[in-house]
């Protein structure tokens, strides 16, 4: 099965996540996605043979518009999402301004911004397109996510690796999902065509399997 379709099937089977993807779609954000734990945890639960875990953390909505970098816009979007789904901990961030906080050059897209996140398995985003289609963006591919591998991105393999290690420890992922394994001393997965998954469009899962 196409790996992107596998991820979409997992999200489609979760009524809450599929509904929230529709809510974000209806905002018509430029280069807008839901990313990080929203996708990662659902896939890990599926690969552990579990029903989806509750959405206990932030639902990270990322978008990219260099012409609208006012942080107030993110707050207004947060409020709009809370008005529709008040029980969800929404977190909206325009990635066109996140480079300033991180000390990087400007990011060209939401997908490029994810290249500077700590873990490859979290650098995966999805968005609904139309009524029944979905796209997956993953600058490092989805192999680590689907293989239950925890791996730092290149940015966090050097002096910043302690940040990655502290995240793994504090979030207790290895305890919550015992089939996970940490990649040690092997960065070959990082060198696969990094843009391969960015903005990939998939047919509805029933037709793509």
């Amino acid at each position: 099965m196409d790996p992107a379709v596998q991820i979409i099937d997992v999200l489609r089977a979760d009524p809450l996540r599929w509904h929230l993807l529709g809510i974000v779609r209806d905002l018509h954000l430029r280069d807008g996605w839901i990313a990080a734990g929203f996708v990662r945890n659902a896939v890990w639960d599926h690969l552990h043979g579990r029903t989806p875990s509750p959405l206990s953390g932030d639902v990270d909505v990322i978008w990219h518009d260099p012409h609208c970098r006012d942080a107030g816009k993110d707050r207004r979007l947060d409020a709009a999402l809370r008005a529709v789904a008040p029980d969800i901990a929404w977190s909206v961030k325009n990635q066109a301004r996140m480079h300033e906080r991180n000390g990087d050059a400007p990011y060209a897209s939401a997908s490029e911004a994810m290249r500077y996140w700590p873990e490859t398995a979290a650098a995966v985003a999805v968005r609904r397109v139309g009524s029944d289609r979905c796209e997956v963006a993953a600058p490092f591919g989805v192999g680590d996510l689907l293989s239950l591998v925890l791996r730092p991105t290149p940015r966090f393999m050097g002096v910043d690796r302690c940040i990655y290690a502290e995240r793994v420890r504090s979030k207790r992922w290895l305890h919550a999902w015992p089939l996970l394994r940490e990649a040690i001393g092997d960065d070959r997965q990082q060198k696969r065509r990094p843009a391969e998954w960015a903005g990939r469009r998939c047919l509805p899962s029933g037709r793509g399997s």
Side-chain angles (χ1 to χ4, degrees), residues 68-144:
C68 183
R69 293 168 53 188
D70 176 14
K73 175 67 172 180
D74 285 344
R75 291 192 292 271
R76 291 190 293 274
L77 289 168
D78 269 328
L81 289 169
R82 286 196 302 273
V84 178
D87 295 333
I88 301 301
W90 297 101
S91 176
V92 182
K93 294 290 187 297
N94 183 357
Q95 301 300 300
R97 62 184 177 81
M98 290 297 101
H99 67 284
E100 297 172 349
R101 182 182 69 180
N102 298 332
D104 299 323
Y107 306 140
S109 65
S111 184
E112 183 180 346
M114 288 192 291
R115 294 181 61 82
Y116 296 87
W117 292 8
E119 309 92 27
T120 59
V124 179
V126 292
R127 64 182 174 189
R128 280 182 63 174
V129 180
S131 62
D132 201 40
R133 289 191 297 175
C134 196
E135 291 179 340
V136 175
F140 301 106
V142 296
D144 285 346

Side-chain angles (χ1 to χ4, degrees), residues 169-185:
R169 185 199 65 78
S170 64
K171 292 180 178 293
R172 306 189 72 210
W173 289 322
L174 293 165
H175 173 78
W177 291 277
L179 297 180
L180 288 173
R181 58 188 177 87
E182 284 196 82
I184 300 174

Side-chain angles (χ1 to χ4, degrees), residues 188-202:
R188 287 174 296 176
Q189 294 293 325
Q190 306 297 342
K191 298 177 182 177
R192 295 182 306 165
R193 297 166 290 176
E196 178 180 358
W197 290 91
R200 180 168 184 172
R201 178 169 293 177
C202 298

